[in-house]
Amino acid sequence: MRRKILSPLFSICCRCSLMRDSIDYFDSAFPIPLTDDDLKAIGEICAIQGQIEYLMQVSLSRATALGMETSQLILGSTNLTANAEIWLNLLYHYRHVLPSLSLPWAEHFFEELCDFIRGRNDLLHAVYGYNTTLNLNDGTQRQIFTLNHFEHDDIDQTAVAMRVKNSVASPTAKISEMRNKAARLSLIIATHLLGSDCKMTQTSQDRLGSPPPPRSKSARLRLDKAHAQPPSPPE
């Protein structure tokens, strides 16, 4: 008797169906034009960012000996950029107790985190729909954004993430890019600032490199601003 082999996609659909049957599940007002991998990556961006913020608190607590509760209060803003500037400022001030390579890695982490935040905002503060090109009868074209997908020979559509505050569109391919940026940041802070024995393949270790890459001119300006006014030492 032949056994029927189920595809991974079929298994995913079954799990989704079970989830919908077990909870009061609502469909969104409009379909979301993303693959299962894209949706998974968006969820991972949020989850990995949680790791990053927590590890920033742990690293600050260890460097300053202030303890986790105080570090959580210091980095308690919902503005991740503001938290990163405070974090780097304090690490710079306590650099005399840090290993020699920790501060360069902290600066590199800060630079990459600022870039990640901008890219993340383009995806998490966005509406997902279609850049739609209408091929009109007079031979001209009209570009519009739509939430619906249309099956028509005179309509071309590409799924995009449109930033809600300024209508700037980003390709959905950016989702996996930002997910990998988040993962890289978590590895940098875990391995080079905390020395954690985290789960990391040799390939990931090789890609992180050591020492950190040189900083760009724009990064140096941001870093100078971040620790331009170090706090007064505790009395």
Side-chain angles (χ1 to χ4, degrees), residues 159-235:
V160 294
M162 189 181 75
R163 187 75 183 267
V164 291
K165 78 171 187 177
N166 55 20
S167 297
V168 173
S170 297
T172 57
K174 191 174 183 178
I175 296 172
S176 59
E177 176 189 346
M178 288 301 109
R179 184 264 169 213
N180 285 335
K181 279 183 177 289
R184 175 180 166 82
L185 283 164
S186 71
L187 291 172
I188 288 174
I189 192 169
T191 57
H192 292 293
L193 295 171
L194 289 171
S196 300
D197 186 20
C198 60
K199 183 179 179 181
M200 179 169 59
T201 64
Q202 185 61 46
T203 301
S204 294
Q205 289 178 334
D206 295 341
R207 288 172 65 186
L208 280 183
S210 185
R215 290 170 285 157
S216 64
K217 181 178 180 181
S218 60
R220 288 196 299 271
L221 293 174
R222 287 201 302 269
L223 293 166
D224 291 342
K225 178 183 176 183
H227 52 61
Q229 297 177 330
S232 301
E235 298 180 357

Side-chain angles (χ1 to χ4, degrees), residues 27-33 127-128 146-149:
D27 290 320
S28 58
F30 294 90
I32 303 170
V127 54
Y128 287 85
T146 61
L147 291 174
N148 281 317
H149 182 260

